[in-house]
Amino acid sequence: MVKKVLKALTGAECVAEAMRQINPDVVAAYPITPQTPIMHAFSQFVADGKVDTEFVTVESEHSAMSATVGASAAGSRAMTATSSNGLALMWEVVHIAASTRLPIVMNVVNRALSGPINIHCDHSDSMGCRDAGWIQLYSETGEEAYHNTIMAVRIAEHPDVLLPVMVCQDGFITSHSVETSEILDDETVKNFIGEHNGHHPLLKTENPVTVGPLDLFDYYFEHKRQQLDAMERAKPIIQSIFDEFGAIVGRKIEFFEPYMLDDAEEAVICLSSSCGTLRHVVDELRKQGRKVGLLKVRVFRPFDQNKLAEMIRHIPVVGVMDRSASFGAFGGPVFMEVRNAIADESQKPLTVNYIYGLGGREFTVEQAKQVFDELRQVRESGNPGIKVRTLGVRE
Amino acid sequence: MVTENHDKKGWKEIPIGGIIEEAGNAERYKTGTWRSFRPVHHPEKCTNCMICWVNCPDTAIKAGDVNSPDKGLVGKNDDPNLANFGGFDYEHCKGCGICAAVCPTKAIDMHPETEFLDKEGEE
């Protein structure tokens, strides 16, 4: 019998709650704002004996990811969490975790990368490692971060996937804000994630294997080809796990979550907490008779280009929100994916990219309205004008 | 690097993640192809002290018995309880030259592999 309790929790506490219920064998972490409250809360669970986890307090994020990789290769269920420069310091090991096919789950509380030094939210940290081979789930709320963290364990450990999963939520906006979140009972979560036996665990001494050997021109490429395949194969598996978990929590969980898209003349594509602001503005504009909509990206890696194209090809104008910049590129990371997904469609929207919210710059209702107004101008004129725009920056 | 890949397994046939599922398989990796200098043994200077055998990082010095055709000819080489120099394992010797460097009697020297090629450039 599934029991659900409403609790007032921050996004960070939601994730710590998920981790308590997952009860990982090993957690290795180093504090960094705004991730710290996750490990603060989780280490309290360790101290109180509420989990069986071996909690490794390391001297840097490079070591945090390295210890997590070692623990996962040994066959244990291993987790960590980080933000911003901490993720940057993990960099080389982040790639090793993916290429060694270790089902690690890492919470990333999105924070701007230095410099200049800044502790507030943007997506430059996780977007920076979008090519590292990790599955990336983005969370609008603390409750979604809770759901994503639990589902991430199942996705990562699926024998046909075996890829690490990054669960992202917005620094401070989500991680430090208290909302009511529906928390499942421990038994339901335990049953949902199941047992973890590891893929060729190092500690299974009767079957010794070598992990991380030299892999030169003769086989490296074949291993990369396997990673490409795993991401592709993960798509239906992720959706089936979403469906299974969605039935428990009573929600429809999808790669791309549409809101008022069917008859939309202008729509916005966005990830994480800003979707809340945009949904509010969609409601307001709908009351005025404007046909506007929103598409929330929940899974950024693997990016399901076919599904996205199917969902937006009928919309005349689409604005794509990017909370990170790709300097020198034609637009931000989300924009590039969206443009790429619709490139071969015979009927496709005009697209405009908005770089917004960098370094925690507030994303306001007024900005969201400005976006929809500009998109309307684009639709009426048939001319996208400047395709990559910045939003909320002083001239 | 141009390699003939047709004799190797495809991506669907190999273990994921670069894992090697079989222990002790390094023997099958013929690192001898990396060699550009070849160690050459001079039995008339060799005392069978086996210091080369101790120092070889690739266990490419073979230990022979009293009947080893490659054994050193200096000093005692007829004790069945002691090993004698048993030749090189050229399939695994990378040509690092450590054996030549540590040999106290200069019984090993290194020669460029080009000296061992025939006119067609084959070994």
Side-chain angles (χ1 to χ4, degrees):
Chain A
M1 180 64 198
V2 179
K3 287 184 212 118
K4 298 168 187 170
V5 185
L6 279 177
K7 289 186 180 175
L9 296 172
T10 64
E13 286 165 348
C14 282
V15 167
E17 191 66 6
M19 290 179 70
R20 182 186 64 72
Q21 295 178 320
I22 291 162
N23 193 5
D25 301 305
V26 177
V27 169
Y30 189 80
I32 184 166
T33 301
Q35 174 280 120
T36 307
I38 296 179
M39 286 304 160
H40 184 184
F42 184 74
S43 61
Q44 190 68 52
F45 294 142
V46 175
D48 294 344
K50 291 185 177 169
V51 288
D52 310 307
T53 306
E54 181 73 32
F55 190 70
V56 190
T57 51
V58 287
E59 76 281 18
S60 76
E61 285 86 355
H62 190 279
S63 304
M65 184 46 70
S66 298
T68 310
V69 161
S72 184
S76 68
R77 193 173 256 158
M79 297 180 76
T80 185
T82 194
S83 288
S84 180
N85 291 18
L87 181 55
L89 184 54
M90 288 181 177
W91 194 253
E92 62 169 316
V93 199
V94 164
H95 289 71
I96 291 166
S99 55
T100 312
R101 306 296 294 276
L102 300 173
I104 292 165
V105 174
M106 169 163 66
N107 272 273
V108 172
V109 182
N110 285 119
R111 160 183 158 182
L113 284 171
S114 295
I117 192 164
N118 181 301
I119 60 168
H120 291 284
C121 174
D122 71 34
H123 299 160
S124 53
D125 48 4
S126 59
M127 283 299 166
C129 59
R130 64 193 188 273
D131 294 340
W134 286 58
I135 289 170
Q136 289 191 336
L137 310 179
Y138 285 81
S139 323
E140 182 185 335
T141 61
E143 187 178 278
E144 271 192 17
Y146 170 76
H147 292 168
N148 282 346
T149 303
I150 294 166
M151 292 188 293
V153 173
R154 277 281 299 277
I155 294 167
E157 293 173 4
H158 192 286
D160 290 333
V161 178
L162 287 170
L163 289 171
V165 181
M166 203 174 282
V167 177
C168 304
Q169 63 171 291
D170 282 350
F172 289 104
I173 302 164
T174 310
S175 66
H176 286 58
S177 303
V178 177
E179 284 188 296
T180 46
S181 298
E182 199 174 73
I183 302 298
L184 296 167
D185 65 283
D186 294 357
E187 202 59 25
T188 297
V189 175
K190 193 180 162 187
N191 291 338
F192 180 78
I193 61 169
E195 287 279 318
H196 176 56
N197 297 311
H199 174 75
H200 283 305
L202 273 175
L203 289 183
K204 203 172 173 188
T205 50
E206 66 269 27
N207 182 25
V209 293
T210 303
V211 173
L214 190 66
D215 194 17
L216 301 177
F217 44 77
D218 45 3
Y219 279 110
Y220 178 90
F221 201 172
E222 277 69 26
H223 288 123
K224 293 292 137 184
R225 181 66 185 79
Q226 291 176 332
Q227 282 181 258
L228 289 167
D229 181 59
M231 275 288 180
E232 206 52 48
R233 278 201 287 175
K235 288 177 185 175
I237 293 166
I238 292 170
Q239 189 56 55
S240 71
I241 291 168
F242 281 180
D243 292 344
E244 193 187 330
F245 192 74
I248 295 171
V249 296
R251 278 172 211 278
K252 195 171 180 192
I253 306 172
E254 297 174 281
F255 274 59
F256 305 108
E257 299 181 3
Y259 187 67
M260 305 275 183
L261 272 195
D262 289 347
D263 63 342
E265 293 176 327
E266 296 105 40
V268 168
I269 297 177
C270 190
L271 343 134
S272 295
S273 68
S274 307
C275 292
T277 310
L278 284 160
R279 199 177 290 106
H280 169 78
V281 170
V282 166
D283 287 343
E284 281 198 358
L285 295 177
R286 282 269 169 183
K287 276 179 208 154
Q288 298 167 20
R290 297 267 300 273
K291 289 180 177 171
V292 292
L294 167 69
L295 184 129
K296 177 168 80 181
V297 178
R298 184 132 176 186
V299 186
F300 188 71
R301 285 287 181 271
F303 196 86
D304 196 337
Q305 73 282 1
N306 295 328
K307 205 170 277 180
L308 183 88
E310 201 177 292
M311 292 173 89
I312 65 167
R313 62 162 74 99
H314 65 282
I315 303 168
V317 184
V318 166
V320 183
M321 309 299 291
D322 265 295
R323 204 161 192 157
S324 64
S326 184
F327 303 101
F330 178 36
V334 187
F335 185 63
M336 286 190 265
E337 295 294 343
V338 171
R339 296 267 301 181
N340 210 358
I342 59 172
D344 296 331
E345 299 291 319
S346 52
Q347 186 200 358
K348 60 190 165 203
L350 293 171
T351 51
V352 179
N353 190 201
Y354 289 91
I355 310 291
Y356 79 104
L358 300 190
R361 177 62 51 85
E362 196 179 357
F363 178 60
T364 61
V365 167
E366 288 68 35
Q367 286 176 11
K369 281 181 181 159
Q370 182 192 332
V371 168
F372 281 113
D373 288 347
E374 289 184 10
L375 295 178
R376 179 167 63 179
Q377 281 169 18
V378 169
R379 179 173 58 81
E380 286 169 355
S381 66
N383 176 11
I386 299 168
K387 286 183 183 163
V388 181
R389 309 177 185 190
T390 48
L391 182 71
V393 68
R394 291 183 300 278
E395 291 300 324
Chain B
M1 171 73 74
V2 178
T3 49
E4 288 296 327
N5 285 318
H6 308 298
D7 58 333
K8 295 191 172 69
K9 289 181 176 174
W11 66 271
K12 292 175 186 166
E13 302 166 288
I14 58 173
I16 61 164
I19 282 172
I20 299 173
E21 289 174 330
E22 186 190 342
N25 59 76
E27 189 185 4
R28 298 212 307 272
Y29 196 177
K30 308 295 186 200
T31 50
T33 59
W34 302 8
R35 192 174 59 244
S36 55
F37 284 89
R38 181 182 296 200
V40 173
H41 182 237
H42 302 286
E44 70 282 2
K45 296 185 194 168
C46 172
T47 65
N48 300 301
C49 70
M50 305 306 278
I51 288 174
C52 55
W53 177 83
V54 171
N55 282 276
C56 177
D58 286 299
T59 58
I61 308 279
K62 294 191 252 183
D65 59 17
V66 288
N67 299 316
S68 166
D70 296 311
K71 69 182 180 183
L73 302 174
V74 183
K76 196 171 169 62
N77 60 17
D78 54 358
D79 184 340
N81 296 314
L82 296 175
N84 287 325
F85 184 84
F88 299 104
D89 170 4
Y90 286 120
E91 287 192 332
H92 295 96
C93 167
K94 295 174 187 148
C96 70
I98 288 175
C99 54
V102 298
C103 179
T105 61
K106 309 250 183 292
I108 298 173
D109 49 21
M110 304 299 290
H111 292 258
E113 280 292 328
T114 48
E115 287 182 15
F116 301 94
L117 301 177
D118 62 20
K119 282 173 193 160
E120 283 79 41
E122 300 287 330
E123 270 191 44

